[in-house]
């Protein structure tokens, strides 16, 4: 029996939610989930409807495969670097969602011009550096950009979106909200010149949403 069956099943379900949210096409994008001694991640080049709990590949924190019959995602080194250097992170999501990628292509952060962006991201959604896929360069860019930052999302320059969270579900929420913010801001920029919220307002909104909003 494969290790971490419950986590495998949850990760398969999260990938279906990623697909249903329209944040990925074909075989692009991925989610990983930290487990004891490493992390589970989507296999490379597998269509989303074909993913199952058993498809998920178990890797150690250096990105080496521990268990699995398929090759892990081509982004595995980036995920591994994040987990090694951000122990508070339990989940990572990568997408090429259209509106957020529009900002990444234009080499622009997403400005905090809406209360929802302040709530979720605590300010602008930052732009990270350009990095070539295949080694841990992308992971380094993610860590360098998000360490000490309130945003759980980064737009990697001319590439796509990476989000982090305490688990895979939280990271997926950040990816969904990032694309929603990018879409709204993109529309606003066509209508006029949206103004960034004042820092004091952003701080108040973020603190309320993170500490008061929801079920207590």
């Amino acid at each position: 029996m494969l290790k971490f069956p419950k986590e495998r099943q949850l990760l398969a379900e999260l990938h279906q939610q990623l697909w249903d949210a329209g944040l990925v096409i074909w075989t692009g994008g991925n989610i990983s989930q930290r487990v004891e001694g490493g992390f589970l991640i989507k296999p490379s080049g597998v269509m989303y409807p074909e993913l199952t709990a058993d498809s998920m590949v178990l890797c150690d924190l250096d990105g080496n495969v521990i268990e699995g019959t398929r090759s892990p995602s081509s982004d595995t080194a980036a995920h591994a670097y994040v987990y090694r250097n951000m122990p508070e992170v339990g989940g990572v999501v990568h997408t090429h969602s259209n509106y957020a990628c529009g900002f990444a292509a234009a080499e622009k952060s997403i400005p905090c011009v809406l209360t929802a962006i302040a709530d979720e991201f605590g300010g602008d959604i930052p732009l990270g550096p350009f990095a070539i896929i295949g080694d841990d360069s992308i992971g380094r860019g993610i860590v360098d950009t998000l360490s000490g930052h309130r945003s759980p999302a980064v737009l990697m320059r001319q590439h796509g979106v990476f989000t982090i969270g305490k688990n895979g579900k939280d990271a997926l929420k950040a990816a969904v909200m990032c694309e929603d913010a990018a879409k709204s801001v993109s529309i606003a920029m066509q209508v006029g010149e949206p103004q960034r919220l004042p820092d004091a307002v952003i701080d108040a909104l973020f603190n309320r949403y993170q500490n008061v909003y929801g079920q207590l």
Side-chain angles (χ1 to χ4, degrees):
M1 182 176 179
L2 295 173
K3 297 178 181 177
F4 307 110
K6 291 182 179 179
E7 291 84 352
R8 287 175 175 276
Q9 181 59 40
L10 175 59
L11 193 56
E13 292 171 2
L14 291 177
H15 277 94
Q16 185 59 53
Q17 292 175 35
L18 181 68
W19 176 264
D20 290 343
L23 301 189
V24 292
I25 61 169
W26 204 244
T27 63
N30 45 72
I31 308 175
S32 67
Q33 171 72 47
R34 188 193 288 270
V35 294
E36 184 179 356
F39 60 96
L40 292 163
I41 193 167
K42 175 184 175 289
S44 177
V46 178
M47 301 291 287
Y48 280 82
E50 298 173 10
L51 291 174
T52 66
D54 291 350
S55 302
M56 303 304 156
V57 183
L58 177 62
C59 297
D60 65 21
L61 291 180
D62 291 316
N64 301 308
V65 174
I66 299 174
E67 186 177 60
T69 59
R70 304 187 184 194
S71 298
S73 166
S74 57
D75 292 304
T76 295
H79 289 246
Y81 188 88
V82 172
Y83 288 126
R84 288 198 307 272
N85 290 276
M86 302 183 81
E88 73 278 14
V89 171
V92 179
V93 171
H94 174 44
T95 80
H96 296 150
S97 56
N98 295 136
Y99 283 92
C101 277
F103 281 88
E107 302 180 72
K108 294 182 180 296
S109 61
I110 299 174
C112 188
V113 297
L114 292 167
T115 59
I117 301 175
D119 288 343
E120 294 284 350
F121 301 97
D124 301 349
I125 301 174
L127 180 70
F130 178 78
I132 297 294
I133 193 171
D135 59 17
D136 63 10
S137 298
I138 292 174
R140 290 177 185 275
I142 297 167
V143 171
D144 289 347
T145 304
L146 295 185
S147 291
H149 203 292
R150 293 194 296 204
S151 174
V154 55
L155 311 176
M156 293 300 288
R157 190 181 305 263
Q158 296 178 293
H159 181 175
V161 181
F162 281 85
T163 61
I164 58 175
K166 64 182 180 181
N167 51 44
K169 182 178 180 180
D170 276 2
L172 176 56
K173 179 192 177 187
V176 171
M177 300 307 291
C178 179
E179 179 64 3
D180 187 64
K183 183 175 183 179
S184 295
V185 175
S186 180
I187 293 170
M189 287 176 165
Q190 296 176 52
V191 174
E193 297 183 9
Q195 299 300 304
R196 188 178 188 275
L197 293 169
D199 287 341
V201 173
I202 292 172
D203 290 344
L205 289 166
F206 181 76
N207 289 331
R208 174 191 172 277
Y209 185 77
Q210 299 297 323
N211 300 313
V212 178
Y213 176 81
Q215 300 299 308
L216 301 177

